[in-house]
Amino acid sequence: MRSMKFLSIVFCVILLTGSAVFAGQLDADLQQTLRSKQADDLIRVWIAVDDGHDAYAFKNTIAATSASRAERHRIAITELKANAQAQSGLLAELETLRKSGKVTRFKGHWIAGIVEVEIAAGELERLAARPDIDIVYHKPEIALIPPIAVSRLTPPSTDALAVGSDLTHINAPTAWAMGYTGAGRVVCSFDTGVHGVHPALFSSWKGHDGDSAAAWWDQQDDNPFPHYFSAASQPAHGTHTMGTMVGHDGADTVGVAPGAKWISAAVIGLDNTSILDAFEWAADPDGNPNTLGDVPDVINHSWYFVSFPSCLNAVYSAIENTEALGIVNIISAGNSGSGASTIANPADRALDNLDCFAVGNLNHATDTIYQSSSRGPSPCNASAYKPNVVAPGVNIRSTWTDGGYSPLTGTSMAAPHVSGLVALMRQKNPNATADEIKSAILNNTQSVGPSALPNNDYGWGEIDCVAALNAISPESTPAVRLYDFIHDPINPGDTVSGSLVLTNLGATVQSVSVSITGSNEALTVLDGSAAFGTIAAGATVTASDPVQVVVADTVTEGSTLPIQMTIAGTSYSSTTTLYFSVEPDLERDIATHNVGRIEFSVSNYGVYGLGPISTFEFGGVGFTFDGGSNDLWEGGVMVTTGPTRVSSGVHSTLSDPDRDFVVAPGGNLEFMNPGSASTQQTVCKYEDSNANNPIGLEVTQESFAQASPNDDFIVLNYVLNNISGGTLTDVYFGLFFDWDITQYNSNAGGYEAGEWFAWMAYNSGGTLSRYRGVRLIKGTLASAGADLGSNYTAGVGDGFAVYEKYAMLTSGMTNADTYKTSSEELVQYMAAGPITLAAGEQDTVAFAILAGDSFADIQSAAARANSVPSHADDPEPPGELPEDFTLYQNYPNPFNPKTVIPFDLPRRGEFELTVYNALGQKVHNEKGTGGPGRKTVIWNASRFASGVYFYRVTSDAGESTRKMLLLR
């Protein structure tokens, strides 16, 4: 049920605007637009879903809990994402419309209960009538609140540690002298980009702690480092506002919170960006709801909605919900002048005195409101004052895009002063709620203007940093929090023995202990207590003894089991929740690619095809091309380190296939359609522990199927991980295919030395057709060709013996040309090697499985297969030397326990790899020399806990940071 508060706002708007909402739940402006549209014309809209969520009440409910800000953040995100399930029915219908061509793109948002969609106009009236829809709007146009004047100054050369009069006027220097500079806090802007290398901003960008993706959001060109956009109407705007929040260098302090870090979303004045995507990014920048260090304390907004209905604006929910997460929103009031109700949207809403906290522009030289500053009252509530407060906004000197400084005027210059103040206050009390912060600012202002306050020119007055700080209580101390829970992977029925890790954000606590005090029917607590002793302020401590809990064998794989835990110490007690994440049961599985021309089945135990003509494995389609019959009797992986040591998924005798590979922990087969790097992808993991003489090799297997025109090959990528505990030498890794093309005993085959691919084809009286093959696209070629299948059957000798598999993998190109004109029962093989792997070391091998009607067809497929990625986010090394430094995504990702980090160096030189945990703590560092070309580094995370990590590679050619996920 929608709240009465919401209904009262609707009634108010109807009175003000005549008829803002019409029958059929289409917004009036949208209805007008539809009159000029054809049914198939595409239009971008926001669909507000009736999900029963009252964001205003939700914020107040979350704030009323006694939990810490970190716990409130996690609870609120969990509830918001769960609430987004109300969109499922609509999303399902939109997917159906997408398949029929009526929808081109759509996305549901958990931060606001809105679905963004580009849809055929003729579908909207019917769609809006759904019972789960509130109203459908145009996708709103968002524009920058531009400054009133733009001028240019060069920074004074003798201005040592200069502080502007705007900062002095709000008592910022006095606050710094009290010890409040914003240290340890994070500010965020939604703006036109930021000149990240500005001397007053560079060192305080939070991305330097190892997570650029959680510190810079760029939907326009996906550049990982902050920059401004020349295409924006005011390219320097975001740099200027950020400087007013945090800017400082050796000669100037222009920011209210010079000790704070900053992040930013480039979303204003740019095409193909979404303000709701920006809100969701800022709500949880690193994508981990259990971490808080990445979450900003404040978002500074200097934008407004163009020609969009006031008071019914669906983005209000995004503002309220981010404040439920603990993020304060500060909004420029607008520069529309002194007329009544000129306040911009969304700064105009006023359910209470703190709602949509708007900032007006004060000329601090005269203590009067600037003429262009927008005024109240709120059009949503005629009795409510707007703006909420004022701050200096005239001739504000701040950072500029050429590395210098310039003055600007406008409410966009005023609002960042308030955002900087929020950072100071959060330094004093990190757990203060958004409304506690805003209330302290609002009720402790300086008196300005000729009339009694509050009023619709000045709001409640000019901000005062010292008074606001004095009005907010410091964080209660101590503050001991759960930092980590270290344990092995959990499966149903396991007894979990794990080490708890606590961190103390407050004063020193003595005699700290933990007890599991709650219950969960799926968990049996054997030992639920752990001792820590004294935990000093700022310390992170691991328990001296583990907790032990039995997980029921009936739990569902992939489930997360919570149980309450109490942290106690001398004069201290708090409660939190401990989570047990249960991994899926390991199971053999098969997936089939089908992207048009090829159908091909893969497994997570080293066997391929598994089709109807196989006599010993079933469940797949085998390998078909252009709708033909299955051509593959048997396919599989073989690996060896010597004549008596072979592990394979290939038969020994036809009635006795090898089952040497078993699913490894975390290795269940995942099928992705679409995939991140190709039309379809799979990923799985297996190891050879079931072999008679195991090598000790773990294989992460990925398969990639492309859409046309590359739908005549499948790429198989293998990351080989040495888990034997010792060094492995002379490792040869390859593929075996027993093709039966049309007639099993009428095949020819060979290897093309100049083009690195092996082939087999149907031989009909000397005419070859229906080519099938394999190409090595990553690794050193060891052997390739075709051989007589009769040599490896149970009816001849000892079948396909270990020594014969070894010989096939290591034989070079002995049979490259032998059977190119034959008409025989043939098998095909190709292998890479020799490979040396130290204990824990990894290497990568990749092949492409090819198909074509003629030799020219398969030749073309082989050439094209070598030019596409053989790993998600791991582009094939270029044929020419790279011109620039590039850091790629690690693989596999998620990973356990090792991952490969690839990067390109344009010239030979030194590089440095640094890995950080989610708190920005350095956990690994190594240096090396490489290049020019592709370089890979393997990180072994076997001694680290599950979670988000960040890796940064620095070289003289450039530096970059990416995020990765370790799953234990």
Coordinates of all heavy atoms in Angstrom, one line a residue, residues 807-847:
A807 N 53.3 -40.5 -26.0 CA 53.9 -40.4 -27.4 C 53.1 -39.4 -28.2 O 53.7 -38.6 -29.0 CB 54.1 -41.7 -28.0
M808 N 51.8 -39.5 -28.2 CA 51.0 -38.6 -29.0 C 51.2 -37.2 -28.6 O 51.2 -36.3 -29.5 CB 49.5 -39.0 -28.9 CG 48.6 -38.2 -29.8 SD 46.9 -38.8 -29.7 CE 47.0 -40.3 -30.7
L809 N 51.3 -36.9 -27.3 CA 51.4 -35.5 -26.8 C 52.8 -34.9 -27.1 O 52.9 -33.7 -27.2 CB 51.1 -35.5 -25.3 CG 49.7 -35.7 -24.9 CD1 49.6 -35.9 -23.4 CD2 48.7 -34.6 -25.3
T810 N 53.8 -35.8 -27.3 CA 55.2 -35.3 -27.4 C 55.8 -35.5 -28.7 O 57.0 -35.3 -28.9 CB 56.0 -35.9 -26.3 OG1 56.0 -37.3 -26.5 CG2 55.5 -35.5 -24.9
S811 N 55.1 -36.1 -29.7 CA 55.7 -36.6 -30.9 C 56.0 -35.6 -32.0 O 56.5 -35.9 -33.1 CB 54.7 -37.7 -31.5 OG 53.5 -37.1 -31.9
G812 N 55.7 -34.3 -31.7 CA 56.0 -33.3 -32.8 C 55.0 -33.4 -33.9 O 53.8 -33.7 -33.7
M813 N 55.5 -33.1 -35.1 CA 54.6 -33.2 -36.3 C 54.9 -34.4 -37.2 O 54.8 -34.3 -38.4 CB 54.8 -31.9 -37.1 CG 53.8 -30.7 -36.7 SD 53.8 -30.4 -34.9 CE 55.3 -29.6 -34.6
T814 N 55.1 -35.5 -36.5 CA 55.4 -36.8 -37.2 C 54.4 -37.1 -38.3 O 54.7 -37.5 -39.4 CB 55.6 -37.9 -36.2 OG1 56.6 -37.6 -35.2 CG2 56.0 -39.2 -36.9
N815 N 53.1 -37.0 -37.9 CA 52.1 -37.4 -38.9 C 51.4 -36.1 -39.5 O 50.2 -36.2 -39.7 CB 51.0 -38.2 -38.1 CG 51.6 -39.6 -37.8 OD1 52.4 -40.1 -38.5 ND2 51.2 -40.1 -36.7
A816 N 52.1 -35.1 -39.6 CA 51.5 -33.9 -40.2 C 50.9 -34.1 -41.6 O 49.8 -33.5 -41.9 CB 52.5 -32.7 -40.2
D817 N 51.6 -34.8 -42.4 CA 51.2 -35.0 -43.8 C 50.8 -36.4 -44.2 O 50.4 -36.7 -45.3 CB 52.3 -34.5 -44.7 CG 52.7 -33.1 -44.5 OD1 51.8 -32.3 -44.4 OD2 53.9 -32.8 -44.3
T818 N 51.0 -37.4 -43.3 CA 50.8 -38.8 -43.6 C 49.5 -39.1 -44.1 O 49.3 -40.0 -45.0 CB 51.2 -39.6 -42.3 OG1 52.4 -39.3 -41.8 CG2 51.1 -41.1 -42.7
Y819 N 48.4 -38.6 -43.6 CA 47.1 -39.0 -43.9 C 46.2 -38.0 -44.6 O 45.0 -38.0 -44.5 CB 46.4 -39.5 -42.6 CG 47.1 -40.6 -41.9 CD1 47.9 -40.3 -40.7 CD2 47.0 -41.9 -42.3 CE1 48.5 -41.3 -40.1 CE2 47.7 -42.9 -41.7 CZ 48.4 -42.6 -40.6 OH 49.1 -43.7 -39.9
K820 N 46.9 -37.0 -45.3 CA 46.1 -35.9 -45.9 C 45.3 -36.4 -47.1 O 44.3 -35.7 -47.4 CB 47.1 -34.8 -46.3 CG 47.6 -34.0 -45.2 CD 48.4 -32.8 -45.6 CE 48.8 -31.9 -44.5 NZ 49.6 -30.7 -44.9
T821 N 45.6 -37.5 -47.6 CA 44.8 -38.0 -48.8 C 44.2 -39.4 -48.5 O 43.7 -40.0 -49.4 CB 45.7 -38.1 -50.0 OG1 46.8 -39.0 -49.8 CG2 46.2 -36.7 -50.4
S822 N 44.2 -39.8 -47.2 CA 43.7 -41.1 -46.9 C 42.2 -41.2 -46.8 O 41.6 -40.1 -46.9 CB 44.3 -41.6 -45.6 OG 43.8 -40.8 -44.5
S823 N 41.7 -42.4 -46.7 CA 40.3 -42.6 -46.4 C 40.2 -43.7 -45.4 O 40.1 -44.8 -45.7 CB 39.6 -43.0 -47.7 OG 38.2 -43.1 -47.5
E824 N 40.4 -43.2 -44.1 CA 40.6 -44.2 -43.0 C 39.8 -43.7 -41.8 O 39.2 -42.6 -41.7 CB 42.1 -44.2 -42.6 CG 43.1 -44.6 -43.7 CD 43.2 -46.1 -43.8 OE1 42.6 -46.8 -43.1 OE2 44.0 -46.5 -44.7
E825 N 39.8 -44.6 -40.8 CA 39.3 -44.2 -39.4 C 40.5 -43.5 -38.7 O 41.5 -44.1 -38.4 CB 38.9 -45.5 -38.7 CG 39.0 -45.4 -37.1 CD 37.9 -44.4 -36.5 OE1 37.2 -43.8 -37.3 OE2 37.9 -44.3 -35.3
L826 N 40.4 -42.2 -38.5 CA 41.5 -41.4 -38.0 C 41.1 -40.7 -36.7 O 39.9 -40.5 -36.4 CB 41.9 -40.3 -39.0 CG 42.4 -40.7 -40.4 CD1 42.7 -39.5 -41.2 CD2 43.6 -41.6 -40.2
V827 N 42.1 -40.4 -35.9 CA 42.0 -39.5 -34.7 C 42.9 -38.3 -34.9 O 43.8 -38.3 -35.7 CB 42.3 -40.3 -33.4 CG1 41.3 -41.4 -33.2 CG2 43.7 -40.8 -33.4
Q828 N 42.5 -37.3 -34.2 CA 43.3 -36.0 -34.3 C 43.8 -35.6 -32.9 O 43.2 -35.8 -31.9 CB 42.3 -34.9 -34.8 CG 42.9 -33.6 -35.0 CD 41.8 -32.6 -35.5 OE1 41.0 -32.2 -34.7 NE2 41.7 -32.3 -36.8
Y829 N 44.9 -34.9 -32.9 CA 45.5 -34.5 -31.6 C 46.3 -33.2 -31.8 O 46.8 -32.9 -32.9 CB 46.5 -35.6 -31.1 CG 47.6 -36.0 -32.0 CD1 48.8 -35.4 -32.0 CD2 47.3 -37.1 -33.0 CE1 49.8 -35.8 -32.9 CE2 48.3 -37.4 -33.8 CZ 49.6 -36.8 -33.8 OH 50.6 -37.2 -34.7
M830 N 46.5 -32.5 -30.7 CA 47.3 -31.3 -30.7 C 47.7 -31.0 -29.3 O 46.8 -31.2 -28.4 CB 46.6 -30.1 -31.3 CG 47.4 -28.8 -31.3 SD 46.7 -27.4 -32.2 CE 47.0 -27.9 -33.9
A831 N 48.9 -30.7 -29.0 CA 49.4 -30.4 -27.6 C 50.4 -29.3 -27.6 O 51.0 -28.9 -28.6 CB 50.0 -31.7 -27.1
A832 N 50.4 -28.7 -26.4 CA 51.4 -27.6 -26.1 C 52.4 -28.1 -25.0 O 52.0 -28.9 -24.2 CB 50.7 -26.3 -25.6
G833 N 53.6 -27.6 -25.1 CA 54.6 -28.0 -24.1 C 56.0 -27.8 -24.7 O 56.2 -27.5 -25.9
P834 N 57.0 -28.2 -24.0 CA 57.0 -28.5 -22.6 C 56.8 -27.3 -21.7 O 57.3 -26.2 -22.0 CB 58.3 -29.2 -22.3 CG 59.2 -28.5 -23.3 CD 58.4 -28.2 -24.5
I835 N 56.1 -27.5 -20.5 CA 55.9 -26.4 -19.6 C 56.5 -26.8 -18.3 O 56.3 -27.9 -17.8 CB 54.3 -26.2 -19.4 CG1 53.7 -25.8 -20.8 CG2 54.0 -25.1 -18.4 CD1 52.2 -25.9 -20.8
T836 N 57.1 -25.8 -17.6 CA 57.6 -26.0 -16.3 C 56.8 -25.1 -15.3 O 56.6 -23.9 -15.5 CB 59.1 -25.6 -16.2 OG1 59.9 -26.5 -17.0 CG2 59.6 -25.8 -14.7
L837 N 56.3 -25.8 -14.2 CA 55.5 -25.1 -13.3 C 56.1 -25.3 -11.9 O 56.2 -26.4 -11.4 CB 54.1 -25.6 -13.3 CG 53.3 -25.3 -14.6 CD1 51.9 -26.1 -14.5 CD2 53.0 -23.9 -14.8
A838 N 56.5 -24.2 -11.2 CA 56.9 -24.3 -9.9 C 55.7 -24.5 -9.0 O 54.6 -24.4 -9.5 CB 57.7 -23.0 -9.4
A839 N 55.9 -25.0 -7.8 CA 54.8 -25.2 -6.9 C 53.9 -23.9 -6.8 O 54.4 -22.8 -6.5 CB 55.3 -25.6 -5.5
G840 N 52.6 -24.1 -7.0 CA 51.7 -22.9 -7.0 C 51.7 -22.1 -8.2 O 50.9 -21.1 -8.3
E841 N 52.6 -22.4 -9.2 CA 52.6 -21.5 -10.4 C 51.6 -21.9 -11.4 O 51.1 -23.1 -11.4 CB 54.0 -21.6 -11.0 CG 54.3 -20.6 -12.1 CD 55.7 -20.7 -12.7 OE1 56.4 -21.6 -12.3 OE2 56.0 -19.9 -13.5
Q842 N 51.2 -21.0 -12.3 CA 50.2 -21.2 -13.3 C 50.7 -20.9 -14.7 O 51.7 -20.1 -14.8 CB 48.9 -20.4 -13.0 CG 48.2 -20.7 -11.7 CD 47.0 -19.8 -11.5 OE1 47.0 -18.6 -11.8 NE2 46.0 -20.4 -10.9
D843 N 50.1 -21.5 -15.7 CA 50.4 -21.1 -17.1 C 49.1 -21.3 -17.8 O 48.2 -22.0 -17.3 CB 51.5 -22.0 -17.6 CG 52.2 -21.3 -18.8 OD1 51.6 -20.3 -19.3 OD2 53.3 -21.7 -19.2
T844 N 49.1 -20.8 -19.0 CA 47.8 -20.8 -19.8 C 48.1 -21.4 -21.2 O 49.1 -21.1 -21.9 CB 47.3 -19.4 -20.0 OG1 47.1 -18.8 -18.7 CG2 45.9 -19.4 -20.7
V845 N 47.1 -22.3 -21.6 CA 47.1 -22.9 -23.0 C 45.7 -22.6 -23.5 O 44.7 -22.7 -22.8 CB 47.4 -24.4 -22.9 CG1 47.3 -25.0 -24.3 CG2 48.8 -24.6 -22.3
A846 N 45.6 -22.4 -24.8 CA 44.3 -22.2 -25.4 C 44.3 -22.8 -26.8 O 45.3 -22.7 -27.6 CB 43.9 -20.7 -25.5
F847 N 43.1 -23.3 -27.2 CA 42.9 -23.9 -28.5 C 41.6 -23.4 -29.1 O 40.7 -22.9 -28.3 CB 42.7 -25.4 -28.4 CG 43.9 -26.1 -27.8 CD1 44.0 -26.4 -26.4 CD2 45.0 -26.6 -28.6 CE1 45.1 -27.0 -25.9 CE2 46.0 -27.2 -28.1 CZ 46.1 -27.5 -26.7

